[in-house]
Amino acid sequence: MTTRTGSQADVKQLLDVFKALANPVRLQVLQWLREPARHFPVERAIADPVEVGVCVTHIREKAGLAQSTVSAYMAELQRAGLVRATRVGKWTYYQRDEARIAELVATLGRSL
């Protein structure tokens, strides 16, 4: 069913994003990832935080949460299409998916 405010797929997509961002820690992490070199220890990174992303270990340290909690939070942000994950050896790096975020903002604009 398509409504004036957008398709059901658009609505589901936005609900997934809102659920992911409803948690203050996930929202904070997404904000940190906007400027990774400013918020995470670049000198300890084995990959470029701008090009590859930030290691989940660094996110865990900054957030002060258990590894499993941070991994679950990052998986939720990834399912919502807000971040992308990249494996480098045994580590997982996350970065914002700026193109996807722009699409979601456009969808929000069409839907509200």
Side-chain angles (χ1 to χ4, degrees), residues 1-11:
M1 172 178 143
T2 302
T3 65
R4 262 182 33 178
T5 58
S7 71
Q8 280 186 326
D10 286 350
V11 171

Side-chain angles (χ1 to χ4, degrees), residues 1 84 97 99 103:
M1 172 178 143
R84 289 185 311 229
D97 187 337
E103 288 175 19

Side-chain angles (χ1 to χ4, degrees), residues 10-88:
D10 286 350
V11 171
K12 168 137 180 31
Q13 182 180 62
L14 289 173
L15 287 174
D16 289 344
V17 169
F18 293 148
K19 286 177 193 173
L21 297 178
N23 177 291
V25 175
R26 288 192 296 254
L27 180 59
Q28 181 68 67
V29 169
L30 194 63
Q31 290 170 334
W32 290 335
L33 291 176
R34 186 176 197 151
E35 298 178 275
R38 179 176 168 213
H39 295 286
F40 296 97
V42 176
E43 66 280 355
R44 290 183 43 219
I46 62 169
D48 184 335
V50 175
E51 293 295 318
V52 179
V54 176
C55 181
V56 73
T57 300
H58 295 151
I59 297 169
R60 180 195 60 75
E61 289 171 358
K62 187 162 181 79
L65 298 171
Q67 179 89 22
S68 59
T69 301
V70 172
S71 292
Y73 283 178
M74 298 312 295
E76 183 72 23
L77 290 171
Q78 188 176 11
R79 277 191 298 275
L82 298 168
V83 299
R84 289 185 311 229
T86 302
R87 294 285 296 180
V88 177

